[in-house]
Amino acid sequence: MALFIQNIVRFVLLVLFQVLVLNNIEFLGLVNPYLYILFIITLPVRLPNWVSILLSFGTGLLIDTFSNTHGMHAFAAVLIAFLRSGIIDLFITIEEGNNPSPTFYTFGMNAYIKYVVLMILIYHIAFFTLEAFSFTHLWILMIKIILSSLVTFILIMGLQTIKSK
Amino acid sequence: MKNLLNFLIKYSVVFLFLVLEIISLSMVFNNKDYQKSVFLSSSNSMVSTLYEWNNSIVEFFKLRAANDNLSEENTALKNQVILLQNELATLQPSDTDSIHFRIPPEMEYKFIPAKVINSSTNKLQNYITLNKGASDGIKPDMGVVSDEGVVGIVKTVSNRFAVVIPVLNPKIQVSCKFKNSNYNGSLLWSGQDYRYSNLTDIARHVKLALGDTLITSGLTSTFPAGIPVGCIEDFNIKESDAYYNIKVKLAVNFRTLLHVKVINYLNYNEQKELEKIPEE
């Protein structure tokens, strides 16, 4: 039950922060971090795949509604939700009967960073490619992806260190 | 049959994934039916209310710039009033035949003031949400301007809110012309920098200079002629090209955009209907 409430609070806070603050960051016109995917990243490991996919679809659609992007966030969010369990298995073996939410503590520094980086990269690549829908400005696209992913990564790491204190 | 069922159950997550991805993609590519999807855009009233609330805080920090702008406009208007008064005083009142007096159709515009409550400048397709909607008389296809110049065209309208496609969106092209030579071309954003846009369709023989001012051409029913669009920042032409490649510095700063006016062209329906007839 506590886990349930914790996730709802995290969801509300992240979506509000994303919509009201981060979507207004327009540094150099290139950086637009999407921190709200931390919600998807931190869903409990043993949550059935179909639940996390549906949740991500809803969340992505909500962010879409706020930023007029029509399904682009939903697409990217569903993609990372689908790949999530595979990526987790890639870096860490969770013992039977355990159901941790991915954090520094539960995953360990090394595995957690690998997992987060991969999720962020897949998300930003999917989203920005879909947004541009062409490779004509490939350099701008790549710079956008790299800078936004980097800022998202720094924000997530910052949040994790604050929480662990 | 049993095998098929087992197969479906085994791969149900994959199917769910594929179905949701297809739904998302079809939403991305179907957003031409924009009118229908007001629910999923920022003219949705819940979303807009949240943005309005947020904006009331942010607006406070932009008051100073808005004030400066207003006072500047005020002085310009006052100067104009004095100028016109002088002009009026010098003219003797002539006997105007009141029956034949008409406002020329191209002058019949009304302005609806509105406030920007959400906007983006860093996307490839940017949108602006206004706090006025159908109940204030705003309809799709109306032009939107600010004190500085052209902003965009109204796309979707709900009862209390409206979504505008600004010139920072390759979905619209604004017809504009040079103030000094009347050659017209269309303005198309390349998706890179919110301060600049590109002017197309200017043929090789036209004489250009850096800093030439661009205004709206008045050839569409959306904008009256003479609203500033921007000025030429840079231009070049290749040996083999027939048209110039012109970079335009936009008159409007979309980052600080707050107060806009929606243009209500009173003869819109009549003109549209008349123009429809030759096509049939």
Side-chain angles (χ1 to χ4, degrees):
Chain A
M1 194 62 199
L3 199 68
F4 185 67
I5 291 169
Q6 202 184 3
N7 270 295
I8 286 183
V9 170
R10 186 183 294 131
F11 171 78
V12 172
L13 288 181
L14 280 175
V15 167
L16 282 179
F17 188 60
Q18 178 68 48
V19 168
L20 297 180
V21 181
L22 290 182
N23 277 359
N24 294 317
I25 292 184
E26 300 182 346
F27 182 65
L28 298 177
L30 295 170
V31 178
N32 199 342
Y34 291 106
L35 180 65
Y36 83 95
I37 61 170
L38 181 59
F39 168 69
I40 300 166
I41 290 177
T42 326
L43 284 173
V45 173
R46 292 268 180 262
L47 194 71
N49 254 342
W50 63 272
V51 178
S52 59
I53 288 178
L54 278 179
L55 281 176
S56 309
F57 183 67
T59 318
L61 216 54
L62 192 65
I63 302 290
D64 275 330
T65 311
F66 277 105
S67 44
N68 282 321
T69 40
H70 288 275
M72 295 177 197
H73 286 302
F75 179 87
V78 169
L79 183 67
I80 57 167
F82 178 68
L83 297 175
R84 202 173 78 103
S85 56
I87 295 174
I88 292 176
D89 289 342
L90 212 59
F91 298 129
I92 192 166
T93 5
I94 308 289
E95 281 171 43
E96 200 69 39
N98 272 359
N99 187 16
S101 300
T103 56
F104 269 156
Y105 285 129
T106 50
F107 271 38
M109 190 73 139
N110 203 355
Y112 184 71
I113 287 179
K114 281 182 194 161
Y115 162 65
V116 167
V117 167
L118 204 52
M119 293 282 277
I120 293 174
L121 271 181
I122 293 171
Y123 181 87
H124 284 81
I125 289 171
F127 175 75
F128 284 115
T129 312
L130 194 57
E131 190 190 42
F133 207 66
S134 77
F135 292 106
T136 44
H137 299 300
L138 193 60
W139 273 115
I140 294 179
L141 183 67
M142 300 230 308
I143 292 169
K144 264 189 170 182
I145 291 171
I146 291 168
L147 283 184
S148 299
S149 304
L150 192 68
V151 175
T152 310
F153 177 73
I154 292 170
L155 284 172
I156 288 180
M157 287 303 142
L159 277 181
Q160 291 289 340
T161 25
I162 290 171
K163 252 171 59 182
S164 60
K165 267 179 188 171
Chain B
M1 193 63 203
K2 203 181 169 195
N3 279 341
L4 181 70
L5 272 179
N6 279 336
F7 175 78
L8 285 178
I9 290 165
K10 192 176 170 196
Y11 288 103
S12 59
V13 173
V14 179
F15 284 124
L16 180 70
F17 165 69
L18 288 176
V19 166
L20 290 181
E21 291 296 54
I22 289 166
I23 293 174
S24 318
L25 281 182
S26 63
M27 276 168 63
V28 172
F29 296 116
N30 276 341
N31 82 44
K32 275 179 194 139
D33 288 340
Y34 205 71
Q35 316 283 6
K36 289 176 202 155
S37 58
V38 173
F39 177 67
L40 286 176
S41 78
S42 59
S43 60
N44 170 336
S45 80
M46 184 196 83
V47 173
S48 311
T49 312
L50 183 65
Y51 271 138
E52 204 171 28
W53 169 77
N54 176 45
N55 200 56
S56 61
I57 300 169
V58 176
E59 194 187 21
F60 181 76
F61 298 101
K62 294 184 180 170
L63 276 180
R64 199 191 175 90
N67 265 341
D68 292 349
N69 240 338
L70 282 177
S71 67
E72 236 168 73
E73 200 201 4
N74 228 351
T75 36
L77 287 174
K78 268 183 189 161
N79 289 338
Q80 214 173 351
V81 167
I82 294 168
L83 206 77
L84 289 173
Q85 267 174 348
N86 289 342
E87 213 168 305
L88 196 68
T90 55
L91 291 171
Q92 289 298 321
S94 56
D95 304 354
T96 31
D97 189 345
S98 63
I99 299 168
H100 294 293
F101 182 74
R102 289 266 190 285
I103 304 172
E106 69 269 19
M107 305 270 288
E108 295 195 349
Y109 288 99
K110 258 190 184 168
F111 292 101
I112 305 165
K115 224 164 63 184
V116 173
I117 55 168
N118 177 32
S119 73
S120 64
T121 56
N122 62 339
K123 309 267 163 58
L124 200 59
Q125 294 182 349
N126 297 297
Y127 294 96
I128 294 177
T129 314
L130 303 182
N131 68 342
K132 294 275 175 77
S135 57
D136 304 284
I138 297 181
K139 296 193 196 82
D141 261 3
M142 284 181 176
V144 180
V145 296
S146 76
D147 298 337
E148 296 157 316
V150 167
V151 174
I153 296 173
V154 176
K155 181 67 181 168
T156 340
V157 170
S158 71
N159 219 6
R160 285 160 52 207
F161 301 98
V163 170
V164 175
I165 303 188
V167 289
L168 300 186
N169 190 327
K171 275 186 185 168
I172 61 163
Q173 301 189 8
V174 173
S175 167
C176 48
K177 66 181 183 186
F178 291 110
K179 203 173 181 182
N180 50 9
S181 69
N182 274 354
Y183 277 107
N184 65 332
S186 47
L187 195 72
L188 181 65
W189 193 53
S190 61
Q192 290 170 36
D193 193 326
Y194 71 97
R195 289 170 300 178
Y196 301 104
S197 183
N198 294 318
L199 185 68
T200 54
D201 293 349
I202 297 295
R204 175 181 269 280
H205 61 85
V206 181
K207 294 238 177 339
L208 302 175
L210 290 182
D212 276 1
T213 313
L214 276 167
I215 54 177
T216 51
S217 66
L219 295 179
T220 56
S221 45
T222 319
F223 296 106
I227 296 172
V229 174
C231 55
I232 298 185
E233 174 82 11
D234 193 13
F235 64 89
N236 58 55
I237 185 162
K238 279 190 205 129
E239 210 56 46
S240 55
D241 285 352
Y243 297 100
Y244 278 105
N245 189 0
I246 302 174
K247 190 178 180 192
V248 177
K249 185 169 195 337
L250 294 170
V252 177
N253 184 349
F254 283 87
R255 284 280 177 88
T256 56
L257 194 63
L258 197 61
H259 296 281
V260 296
K261 300 186 194 104
V262 181
I263 303 173
N264 185 2
Y265 176 41
L266 302 175
N267 289 331
Y268 181 81
N269 286 336
E270 192 179 330
Q271 189 183 344
K272 274 278 129 104
E273 257 163 52
L274 186 65
E275 285 172 352
K276 227 188 284 169
I277 295 167
E279 285 169 17
E280 282 165 4

